[in-house]
Amino acid sequence: MATSMLSPPNLLSLAAPSPSSSSPTLYFKPATRLSQPFSLFVGTPKRNRRPFAVAAEEAAVTTSVDPKSEAARRLYVGNIPRTVTNDELKNIVEEHGAVEKAEVMYDKYSGRSRRFAFVTMKTVEDANAVVEKLNGTEIGGREVKVNITEKPLSTVDTSFLQAEESNFVDSPHKVYVGNLAKTVTSDTLKTFFSEKGKVLSAKVSRVPGTSKSSGYGFVSFSSDEDVEAAILSFNNASLEGQKIRVNKA
C-alpha cells in the first residue's frame, strides 16, 4: 500500500500582515528544506517601519532645561498687581514651596512695578508645584501667569537690547505709554508721537533678558508743551489695533 505524505502547511499565509495593523506581527519564515526546522521571526511589517533617522529625530525634538541649573528652579510670575512687593510675593509663593528669592521688576525711570517678577525656588519639585498651584489663579483680582523660565537669562543675546537702552535720550519731559501691542517697536513709537511734538527719543520696555515687549514704553520730549500735546492727542488713541494709555511719566 502506498504511503501517503502530508503536505507542509502554507506558511506564507501566516506572514501576511493586516492592512490596518501597525503593531509588530508574529509570523513564520519557511525553511529552505523540509528537513530544517521552522524559524520564528518577530517584527513590524516593512510598510509600517519608520526609518531610523526619523525615529531619532522625533526622540530629540527639544532639549529641556538642565534640572541642576537655576533656570529649572526660576519662575516667571506675570500680570501681578503693581502694589505687590517682594516680601508679599514671597509669602504668597511660599504657601506652595520653599522660596530662595523673589524679585518684582520695577522700571528704573518711573519706579513703577512692571507687573511681573522672578521667583527662584529651592528645588525643582517646589518650582513645579508652584506652577501647578498658582498659574491661572488670582492675586489682587488679577489672573497671574506662572511658568518656569525657558533658559538662563545669561544665555540670551541682549546686544541689540543694550544698544536700544543706551540710545534712549532721557528727559524730564516724558510720557508713559501703556497697553502697547506686542508688535510695536521703539521706532514705531517715535514715529507715531512725532506727529504732535518734537520727540527726543522713544523706547519700548522689554521683558528682562528677552526681546519680548512688556506692553509699555516711554517717549521723551523737549518741552512740557509737547508732553501735554501728546497726552491730549494720543491718550486712548489706537496704535496697531490697541487703544494706548498716555500719561506723564
Side-chain angles (χ1 to χ4, degrees):
M1 182 175 66
T3 303
S4 63
M5 296 182 65
L6 293 175
S7 300
N10 183 2
L11 299 177
L12 293 178
S13 63
L14 297 176
S18 170
S20 61
S21 174
S22 59
S23 58
T25 304
L26 176 66
Y27 57 96
F28 290 96
K29 179 180 179 182
T32 55
R33 292 192 299 272
L34 291 179
S35 60
Q36 294 179 333
F38 296 113
S39 58
L40 186 64
F41 176 83
V42 180
T44 304
K46 288 185 178 180
R47 72 178 68 180
N48 294 320
R49 293 178 191 170
R50 293 182 301 170
F52 176 78
V54 174
E57 181 179 353
E58 291 180 358
V61 173
T62 57
T63 302
S64 60
V65 175
D66 181 359
K68 296 180 181 179
S69 71
E70 182 178 320
R73 298 181 286 111
R74 184 180 173 129
L75 302 174
Y76 165 84
V77 185
N79 199 36
I80 59 176
R82 292 195 192 277
T83 55
V84 171
T85 64
N86 292 347
D87 290 339
E88 289 172 341
L89 183 61
K90 182 178 180 182
N91 290 337
I92 293 171
V93 176
E94 276 186 332
E95 295 180 7
H96 309 290
V99 176
E100 188 173 292
K101 62 180 177 180
E103 186 178 10
V104 176
M105 297 293 107
Y106 292 91
D107 184 80
K108 69 178 183 179
Y109 296 103
S110 68
R112 303 204 311 172
S113 166
R114 299 173 69 179
R115 284 187 174 161
F116 69 92
F118 291 103
V119 179
T120 303
M121 307 301 294
K122 291 188 176 179
T123 67
V124 174
E125 291 73 21
D126 286 335
N128 290 330
V130 172
V131 172
E132 182 179 350
K133 299 294 184 181
L134 281 186
N135 186 42
T137 63
E138 287 192 358
I139 295 178
R142 300 181 67 88
E143 183 176 318
V144 297
K145 179 180 179 181
V146 183
N147 58 265
I148 296 173
T149 54
E150 297 178 349
K151 51 187 174 180
L153 296 178
S154 59
T155 65
V156 179
D157 182 9
T158 59
S159 57
F160 93 94
L161 297 177
Q162 293 170 352
E164 187 177 60
E165 184 74 24
S166 62
N167 289 335
F168 179 73
V169 179
D170 201 4
S171 164
H173 315 296
K174 184 170 56 181
V175 296
Y176 165 88
V177 188
N179 199 38
L180 290 177
K182 300 300 183 183
T183 54
V184 173
T185 66
S186 297
D187 288 339
T188 303
L189 203 58
K190 183 175 181 178
T191 301
F192 185 74
F193 277 84
S194 293
E195 296 178 8
K196 294 295 181 180
K198 185 178 180 181
V199 174
L200 296 180
S201 193
K203 73 166 186 174
V204 172
S205 184
R206 309 286 180 180
V207 175
T210 76
S211 60
K212 296 179 181 178
S213 168
S214 293
Y216 69 92
F218 296 93
V219 181
S220 61
F221 297 89
S222 59
S223 68
D224 274 334
E225 289 75 20
D226 288 334
V227 169
E228 295 298 336
I231 295 174
L232 183 63
S233 301
F234 297 119
N235 188 39
N236 291 322
S238 179
L239 176 58
E240 297 200 1
Q242 289 189 192
K243 284 189 175 182
I244 59 175
R245 299 189 305 273
V246 184
N247 54 267
K248 284 186 177 181

